[in-house]
Amino acid sequence: MNADHRVIALIDMDCFYVQVEQRLQPEFLGKPCGVAQYYTWKGGGLIAVNYEARNFGVKRGMRGEQAKELCPDFHVFHVQEVNGKANLTRYRDASADVFRVLNANFKLVEKASIDEGGKAGERVMELFQVEYIGQLRKYSLDALQTSMGEKDGYWLFNLTRGIETTAVNSRNLYKTISASKNFPGKTCLDTIDKIRIWCHNLAEEIFNRLEKDRAENKRRAKLLTVTCTLTTNETIARSCPINEYSIDRFANDTLKILKQYNKNSSTSNIYTPAIINLGISAGKFLDSVNTKSIADLFSKQTTKVETIRSTENTINWQEEDGEEEDNNIEEKVLEKPITTITTLSIQGDFFRKFKKTDEQINTQLKSENKTTTSSITSFFSRYTTNENVLNSSPNKIDDQYITCSKCHKSILMWNMPEHDDFHYAHELQMEENKTNSIIKTSKPIKRKTNKQKINNQTLDSFINKKPKN
DNA sequence: ACGGATCCGACT
DNA sequence: TAGTCGGAT
Ligand SMILES: Nc1ccn([C@H]2C[C@H](O)[C@@H](COP(=O)(O)OP(=O)(O)OP(=O)(O)O)O2)c(=O)n1
Ligand SMILES: [Mg+2]
Ligand SMILES: [Mg+2]
């Protein structure tokens, strides 16, 4: 794909977790609701809020109780809990469903995280006193590089001229699998017994997710990282190798690491300073097919697991039993890690910021804008019922066709939103070509609003797939 | 007591 | 190159 002529579509589900719940309980469709984690502390913390509820001022991060004050009819869905910890499996699975559909229908799909806010965007706006990205064109490459650094300045210079050739990544696989939990206030983990239990709970969740990942993606995590925050407010992260997927091994390894920060006597059950956040993460995935042969191809790589310094001694990671007679515990053998993709950190932040700006612009452009919006259920049905959504073959019944007013082509009814988008994109392109040819005052970016939704049908009749969960 | 989770760059 | 830490979302 030539980066000069490519079209990148951005797909972002509306209030995703809420829709996942509504799909399971359709009686709440059209009602203000949100998804919260936990309950006992002020009705739980909201992590997703639908648009009906946003109209009442309900926001992510609010407590369920506060949402009820703002919106008496507000309904709270609660995240499933397993062993007293929020478990996001339902949403991960739903997300995987979305990506299965996307991957089956598009050549190149990249998972991104585009959100409002963003420090880099703010810094640029502040520094250069601009509101729109195009206004940056009045600054020289030199000026941009002086303020933003050589790399980011160059990127920005080209970006403002419509030049951005970064490849779209085709990978969607996560690089880490992690499970963590806060233990605020009185709930802090201040005894070995409590810590042991939570090491086990987190280990179990990680294990389950790793096993599923191994089956689906034919790879194995090689590194376990334990992260904890103590009441002293310091955060510590330590890693150890994963030799085998096992709940007990994960739990025991985690516990062993944590014990090294216990200032109390090792015979006491009291743990000081207490733990207010505990997390386990698995990463450094390696393909499990041909692992042996691949490992043999490269000379053995030795990786040092950082020594843990305390005033008295230096402790290194070591196996429980001495089977692995690697007495030089300073070094352990790990296979060569997979190559990681690097991207400029500024990119995501920058877009995030200007996305917000765009939304401000939207209010001015309301009347001429439209947006293609549909429910999550219609997303699945539409993109799974047709063999080839984008180029569906025209051997269908006549009354399913409509004539496009712009190009007078006969278009399958359910392809009309996409077809219409084509014209929309085309118009944008023409406009952009005009403004790009000459460097002059920039125009606000023309953008679709979220308000006027066409194709917002909640087409229950199209539902042919329901989750089991 | 604004949680759980993921990614990435800087630093060493 | 590997592990740790912190920032960002
Ligand atoms: N701080 C956050 C942000 C998001 N999410 C979860 C819940 C969201 O439903 C999902 C998708 O994130 P979005 O930022 O896309 O938010 P929504 O889809 O909920 O809302 P919008 O309609 O604005 O996209 O990720 C979360 O748990 N914590
Ligand atoms: Mg969003
Ligand atoms: Mg969304």
Side-chain angles (χ1 to χ4, degrees), chain A residues 254-274:
Chain A
T254 303
L255 186 61
K256 197 184 298 183
I257 286 173
L258 293 177
K259 278 182 172 170
Q260 324 208 303
Y261 299 97
N262 186 5
K263 288 200 167 73
N264 228 289
S265 90
S266 56
T267 55
S268 166
N269 189 31
I270 307 298
Y271 186 97
T272 356

Side-chain angles (χ1 to χ4, degrees), chain A residues 10 12 14 369-375 382-383 416-422 424 448-450 452-456:
Chain A
L10 191 156
D12 183 336
D14 284 343
N369 278 329
K370 61 195 175 63
T371 185
T372 306
T373 309
S374 57
S375 70
R382 220 140 58 81
Y383 286 95
M416 203 53 203
E418 289 86 349
H419 180 80
D420 210 38
D421 278 350
F422 163 77
Y424 190 83
K448 297 185 180 187
T449 68
N450 230 343
Q452 300 143 308
K453 304 190 174 192
I454 65 156
N455 184 29
N456 64 345

Side-chain angles (χ1 to χ4, degrees), chain A residues 37-52:
Chain A
Q37 293 179 135
Y38 306 111
Y39 178 74
T40 50
W41 190 264
K42 301 180 177 179
L46 293 171
I47 56 175
V49 175
N50 75 354
Y51 287 71
E52 287 84 346

Side-chain angles (χ1 to χ4, degrees), chain A residues 134-311:
Chain A
Q135 295 175 313
L136 284 176
R137 284 189 293 226
K138 62 171 171 269
Y139 293 97
S140 67
L141 175 61
D142 225 42
L144 292 175
Q145 286 182 319
T146 301
S147 307
M148 305 302 296
E150 190 179 325
K151 218 168 125 196
D152 291 346
Y154 182 67
W155 176 76
L156 211 45
F157 182 84
N158 285 322
L159 186 74
T160 61
R161 287 159 179 78
I163 299 165
E164 219 292 334
T165 56
T166 309
V168 175
N169 292 323
S170 57
R171 271 164 284 193
N172 308 305
L173 286 186
Y174 31 84
K175 296 183 168 77
T176 55
I177 288 177
S178 62
S180 65
K181 181 165 173 29
N182 274 359
F183 300 93
K186 259 194 69 187
T187 67
C188 72
L189 305 183
D190 53 4
T191 67
I192 301 290
D193 287 344
K194 289 181 195 171
I195 292 172
R196 188 182 290 108
I197 287 169
W198 280 103
C199 286
H200 187 275
N201 290 345
L202 295 175
E204 185 173 295
E205 181 179 335
I206 287 287
F207 172 82
N208 290 334
R209 289 163 59 190
L210 280 177
E211 281 296 354
K212 185 153 189 270
D213 173 76
R214 183 160 66 99
E216 282 174 4
N217 303 316
K218 309 208 177 307
R219 59 179 187 166
R220 295 178 69 104
K222 289 292 168 185
L223 192 73
L224 190 79
T225 302
V226 176
T227 306
C228 67
T229 304
L230 307 172
T231 46
T232 57
N233 243 2
E234 62 174 340
T235 295
I236 301 159
R238 290 293 180 271
S239 304
C240 68
I242 296 175
N243 295 314
E244 175 199 3
Y245 285 5
S246 139
I247 297 176
D248 284 336
R249 289 192 69 155
F250 295 159
N252 289 333
D253 288 353
T254 303
L255 186 61
K256 197 184 298 183
I257 286 173
L258 293 177
K259 278 182 172 170
Q260 324 208 303
Y261 299 97
N262 186 5
K263 288 200 167 73
N264 228 289
S265 90
S266 56
T267 55
S268 166
N269 189 31
I270 307 298
Y271 186 97
T272 356
I275 294 171
I276 58 179
N277 176 278
L278 180 59
I280 306 181
S281 165
K284 297 227 181 284
F285 287 94
L286 207 62
D287 283 348
S288 39
V289 272
N290 298 330
T291 292
K292 269 251 168 69
S293 55
I294 291 173
D296 291 343
L297 282 179
F298 300 99
S299 59
K300 279 186 180 177
Q301 300 248 330
T302 57
T303 71
K304 214 190 311 184
V305 174
E306 187 178 287
T307 55
I308 300 160
R309 290 170 219 291
S310 67
T311 43

Side-chain angles (χ1 to χ4, degrees), chain A residues 340-392:
Chain A
T340 55
I341 310 150
T342 53
T343 51
L344 292 171
S345 67
I346 187 180
Q347 296 181 8
D349 299 338
F350 193 81
F351 279 124
R352 277 165 205 133
K353 184 57 205 171
F354 278 98
K355 189 200 177 228
K356 189 178 189 178
T357 309
D358 289 349
E359 279 170 4
Q360 290 157 4
I361 297 163
N362 279 340
T363 50
Q364 308 168 214
L365 300 172
K366 236 180 182 174
S367 58
E368 58 179 295
N369 278 329
K370 61 195 175 63
T371 185
T372 306
T373 309
S374 57
S375 70
I376 193 170
T377 45
S378 68
F379 170 84
F380 283 118
S381 55
R382 220 140 58 81
Y383 286 95
T384 50
T385 45
N386 301 308
E387 295 155 24
N388 189 341
V389 178
L390 295 181
N391 306 299
S392 47

